[in-house]
Amino acid sequence: MESMITTTGLPLSVRTATLADLPTIVDFNCRLAEETEHKRLDLETITRGVRRALAQPGLCRYWVAESGGQIIGQSMITVELTDWRDGVLWWFQSVYVAEPHRGQGVFRALFEHIAAAAKAEPDVRGLRLDIERENERAQRVYEQMGLQPSGHLVHERDWTALGKSP
């Protein structure tokens, strides 16, 4: 499914990512980690991870926004089973819009495209995302899109941080 959208004068299309998009998605994920968490990702690891994501759409799916044949934004969803709602939630992850295209509706186009895809799936009960606490700009954008804080905090135990590699 692909959709054509015009946002603030910028014609763009949103489509499901393919293996041909791997280098751009890897690059965007590295930029995202650096900009939001000041982390440098291991290139081999992130490349394997994106390749796995693209090969296993049951685990997650990437979408990309293009303008003039160039990818300018991306988002990935992962799936969480919600037994309380007897369905699944789609979690937005790896959201990135290239710097020169921010503020032009690229994320809105990605969000609306993915939301439409989610609504077309009878098992999807809602959309979620987590945001770095300090990323106030993203919080404002997401709230403008109608997303509200859920009241949940995310905690984790990161095995890679403990020296265990994949």
Side-chain angles (χ1 to χ4, degrees), residues 6-153:
T6 300
T7 60
T8 61
L10 179 71
L12 60 89
S13 62
V14 175
R15 63 172 173 78
T16 301
T18 68
L19 190 56
D21 303 318
L22 181 117
T24 303
I25 294 170
V26 166
D27 177 51
F28 281 7
N29 281 333
C30 289
R31 291 177 191 218
L32 175 64
E34 181 71 35
E35 288 179 25
T36 60
E37 300 181 38
H38 310 290
K39 291 183 180 177
R40 289 194 172 274
L41 300 180
D42 177 75
L43 194 55
E44 281 186 44
T45 303
I46 185 65
T47 300
R48 280 194 320 269
V50 172
R51 187 180 315 276
R52 180 186 298 196
L54 292 169
Q56 297 181 346
L59 289 177
C60 62
R61 292 166 55 188
Y62 273 100
W63 280 269
V64 294
E66 292 182 310
S67 182
Q70 176 185 8
I71 297 174
I72 60 172
Q74 72 177 34
S75 186
M76 175 181 78
I77 60 99
T78 56
V79 178
E80 173 191 353
L81 175 66
T82 170
D83 55 350
W84 287 14
R85 299 178 194 170
D86 186 26
V88 297
L89 298 170
W90 280 10
W91 280 82
F92 279 85
Q93 297 187 11
S94 300
V95 175
Y96 187 81
V97 174
E99 181 66 41
H101 304 287
R102 293 179 186 164
Q104 298 179 25
V106 176
F107 174 71
R108 177 177 295 279
L110 280 161
F111 179 85
E112 289 176 357
H113 181 89
I114 294 169
K119 287 178 184 175
E121 296 283 331
D123 226 20
V124 179
R125 301 293 184 255
L127 302 171
R128 283 191 173 164
L129 55 85
D130 63 20
I131 310 164
E132 287 297 317
R133 193 176 317 268
E134 294 79 30
N135 195 344
E136 293 175 7
R137 180 178 181 184
Q139 291 175 44
R140 285 191 305 273
V141 169
Y142 299 147
E143 287 176 10
Q144 289 171 359
M145 299 294 302
L147 294 159
Q148 297 299 316
S150 68
H152 294 176
L153 295 175

